[in-house]
Amino acid sequence: NIPIIQQISSSLTSMGANDQEADAANSNKDFISKYTIVKKETKETKYWLTFIRDTEMIERSVIDPYIKESQEILLIVSKIILNSKHL
């Protein structure tokens, strides 16, 4: 399970770090670039959460709320990128 923990930890921390970098972006292009990374890392995090659920490493009742939240974050981030492209 260690490699899976490392993968999900890496994608989660990258999401947060790139979100913070986007807050300090010098241009709209840079902002979009950082949030595109956030989107990729969110998708990866959702993948690993789904993998954990599907392999029954953790009970569905425990992991499903996190999968749902990752999908909500993905939708929010996607909307932020879309809105930023129209500025």
Side-chain angles (χ1 to χ4, degrees):
N1 296 343
I2 299 295
I4 295 166
I5 292 168
Q6 290 171 332
Q7 289 285 24
I8 200 164
S9 176
S10 176
S11 62
L12 279 168
T13 55
S14 180
M15 285 169 59
N18 280 287
D19 174 70
Q20 291 301 301
E21 286 187 36
D23 283 344
N26 293 325
S27 66
N28 192 44
K29 183 178 178 182
D30 188 30
F31 180 86
I32 292 169
S33 174
K34 297 301 180 200
Y35 259 93
T36 299
I37 296 169
V38 173
K39 183 178 177 181
K40 279 179 43 179
E41 297 297 339
T42 302
K43 289 179 87 168
E44 182 178 347
T45 299
K46 184 180 174 195
Y47 165 80
W48 286 114
L49 290 170
T50 303
F51 179 87
I52 290 166
R53 181 197 63 202
D54 292 348
T55 57
E56 299 178 349
M57 297 171 123
I58 297 176
E59 291 181 36
R60 279 185 173 270
S61 62
V62 173
I63 200 82
D64 279 347
Y66 296 104
I67 294 170
K68 182 180 181 210
E69 187 168 347
S70 67
Q71 179 61 32
E72 291 170 1
I73 292 168
L74 186 57
L75 292 171
I76 291 166
V77 169
S78 296
K79 188 67 171 178
I80 289 169
I81 293 168
L82 184 64
N83 289 344
S84 296
K85 286 182 178 179
H86 291 111
L87 291 179

